[in-house]
């Protein structure tokens, strides 16, 4: 059997991009109604890993929570909005694909979700109430991550990270 040798931090760094992406025609992770700051730090790391932007509401506690959860060497690309539903509607008008990550009858399974081929916004729901009704009306597609356990749903950062990897074409 071949011996497994984990890569060193130096080797890992040499394989990474030297600088951040450009936001033009890009992939956006949008946890627009967050409740727990810790999930934002987790999502920021996944955004960095797949080269996506993070879209956040201008709630007073969010910048501090993001800074606390951010263990990255370079800051992730964050877009701020004071009007989450208005921002989503604007992206749609500009031709973006709006993909909701939600447990819903009409949803496609994660395995059947194609990688994003143009500007795509991935919308995540509130940790207790899910995606609000006014935003559900703005979705082009909805994706569900199948579950067979006893829990009702996944942690929002776990669900968002899985869907983001699929949309980025890295899974
Ligand atoms: C903890 S869940 C909220 C569930 C909420 N109790 C409800 O009934 O709508 C928070 C968010 O995580 C995402 N999520 C969690 N599990 C998911 C799954 N299995 N498939 C798709 N999205 C999921 C959705 O964006 C959801 O809005």
């Amino acid at each position: 059997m071949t011996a497994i040798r984990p890569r060193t931090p130096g080797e890992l760094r040499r394989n990474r991009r030297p600088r951040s992406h450009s936001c033009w025609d890009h992939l956006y992770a949008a946890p627009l109604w967050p409740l727990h700051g810790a999930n934002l730090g987790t999502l920021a790391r996944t955004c960095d890993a797949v080269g996506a932007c993070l879209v956040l509401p201008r709630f007073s506690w969010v910048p501090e929570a993001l800074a606390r959860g951010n263990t990255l060497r370079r800051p992730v690309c964050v877009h701020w909005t004071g009007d989450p539903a208005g921002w989503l509607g604007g992206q749609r008008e500009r031709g973006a694909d709006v993909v909701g990550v939600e447990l819903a009858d009409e949803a496609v399974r994660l395995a059947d979700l194609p990688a994003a081929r143009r500007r795509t916004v991935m919308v995540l729901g509130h940790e207790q109430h899910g995606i609000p009704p006014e935003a559900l009306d703005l979705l082009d597609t909805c994706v569900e991550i199948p579950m067979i356990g006893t829990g009702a749903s996944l942690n929002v950062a776990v669900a968002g990270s899985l869907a983001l990897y699929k949309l980025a074409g890295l899974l």
Side-chain angles (χ1 to χ4, degrees), residues 33-45:
W33 301 273
L35 178 64
H36 301 303
N39 291 328
L40 301 182
T42 303
L43 284 166
R45 289 194 68 160

Side-chain angles (χ1 to χ4, degrees), residues 39 100-104 107-108 110 123-132 142-147 152-160 162-163:
N39 291 328
V101 180
E102 194 54 276
L103 294 135
V108 299
L110 184 64
V123 184
L124 294 164
H126 180 275
E127 280 92 330
Q128 283 172 0
H129 311 300
I131 299 177
C142 192
V143 59
E144 176 172 333
I145 299 150
M147 299 173 60
S153 62
L154 292 167
N155 167 275
V156 69
V158 171
L162 288 168

